[in-house]
Amino acid sequence: MPIEILPGLRLEDDELKVTYILASGPGGQNVNKVATAAQLRFDAARSPSLSDRIRTRLIELAGSRATQNGEIIITGRRFRTQQRNREDVIERLAEMIRKAAHRPIFRVATRPGRAARQRRLDGKSHRASIKRNRKVRLDD
């Protein structure tokens, strides 16, 4: 069953490889016997579902979770069951892809105008005069 990331962007199940490993954390004595932590591997560099722009931004966002081959590895061990950890890592990958697909708004750097600078300086001098008038002067 494909995973819907965004409208028009979905990942097929065969692109994701989920394995289970021993987890630390909650689980009591069971933690030493049952492999409940989920480790998701997604080959972003060779995924046919992603565009080039999303692929490069996704690998950049993944940081240390991405290998040199462009494979993203996410480990989930927050929950006690394999199923919940599996859902968790898939959702974390989907959120990362959504973040990579979002185009940041281009911002043009501007400087404050002359009037804004003058208002700032007037405010500073006004505060300075208020503080200056608080002083108690003792004339001899």
Side-chain angles (χ1 to χ4, degrees):
M1 185 171 138
I3 300 155
E4 185 80 23
I5 307 292
L6 293 168
L9 177 61
R10 60 181 57 195
L11 294 178
E12 297 299 326
D13 281 338
D14 60 342
E15 291 187 62
L16 305 177
K17 182 182 173 193
V18 180
T19 55
Y20 299 100
I21 55 176
L22 289 177
S24 60
Q29 294 174 348
N30 228 20
V31 78
N32 300 322
K33 302 186 287 187
V34 182
T36 55
Q39 186 176 57
L40 178 133
R41 289 179 172 269
F42 173 64
D43 196 355
R46 291 168 200 77
S47 173
S49 305
L50 302 177
S51 68
D52 290 336
R53 182 184 67 81
I54 295 175
R55 180 178 295 118
T56 55
R57 184 137 160 75
L58 177 63
I59 293 172
E60 183 181 302
L61 280 175
S64 63
R65 290 175 288 208
T67 64
Q68 289 181 340
N69 300 334
E71 190 175 43
I72 296 175
I73 302 170
I74 300 174
T75 304
R77 55 172 59 104
R78 293 195 309 193
F79 302 103
R80 289 177 181 238
T81 63
Q82 284 184 348
Q83 184 61 31
R84 295 267 313 268
N85 283 325
R86 182 180 192 280
E87 292 167 359
D88 180 45
V89 292
I90 290 173
E91 183 53 40
R92 283 169 45 200
L93 176 68
E95 187 58 39
M96 196 183 301
I97 294 172
R98 281 187 208 105
K99 200 173 188 181
H102 176 72
R103 287 179 186 247
I105 298 171
F106 181 72
R107 183 188 179 279
V108 177
T110 59
R111 294 166 63 186
R114 183 181 298 148
R117 286 195 302 260
Q118 189 60 48
R119 281 193 302 271
R120 181 178 144 269
L121 293 176
D122 290 346
K124 286 170 72 78
S125 61
H126 178 69
R127 291 294 308 162
S129 67
I130 290 173
K131 290 182 177 188
R132 202 177 313 115
N133 291 336
R134 286 182 190 156
K135 286 185 180 179
V136 178
R137 294 202 177 128
L138 299 174
D139 292 331
D140 294 276

